[in-house]
Amino acid sequence: GNNNRATGSYASVSGGQNNEASGDASSISGGNSNVASGTLSSVTGGNYNRATGSYASVSGGQNNEASGDASSISGGDENVASGKFSSVTGGIYNRATNSFASVSGGYSNEASEYASSVTGGRLNSATYSYSSVSG
């Protein structure tokens, strides 16, 4: 790798370039300009991804941010998982912003309430607790 930094206690960066694992026990496997700053967070690869919540993970893609504790993003572009235990599977410009919310893909979808979900499509919103929208 090139210009990688593992600054958190027990943190590791396995490859890539310009990556920083600053959270305690955080890890980055590769890619470019990724950040794992949450405790026990991880970024597997991609470009400009951020895992900032504790136990958060980003598996790939670019410009994604998993900021909720135990949140995850599997890939895609410009996705955000900010709720605790929230997830975005892929797509572009999707947001899971409340606890246990999920977006399975698509374009510019949002699951914004507790345990809400959007399964794809375009410009869909799940705005009530336990609500779901099938794209």
Side-chain angles (χ1 to χ4, degrees), residues 1-82:
N2 180 42
N3 197 37
N4 294 310
R5 295 168 304 284
T7 58
S9 297
Y10 307 104
S12 66
V13 178
S14 301
Q17 63 182 8
N18 303 315
N19 296 306
E20 182 171 8
S22 59
D24 290 345
S26 63
S27 66
I28 298 177
S29 299
N32 178 53
S33 300
N34 295 306
V35 173
S37 60
T39 300
L40 291 161
S41 63
S42 66
V43 176
T44 305
N47 298 302
Y48 302 100
N49 292 311
R50 295 165 306 284
T52 59
S54 295
Y55 308 98
S57 66
V58 178
S59 298
Q62 62 184 5
N63 301 308
N64 296 305
E65 182 166 10
S67 59
D69 290 348
S71 63
S72 66
I73 297 177
S74 299
D77 188 11
E78 300 282 347
N79 295 308
V80 173
S82 58

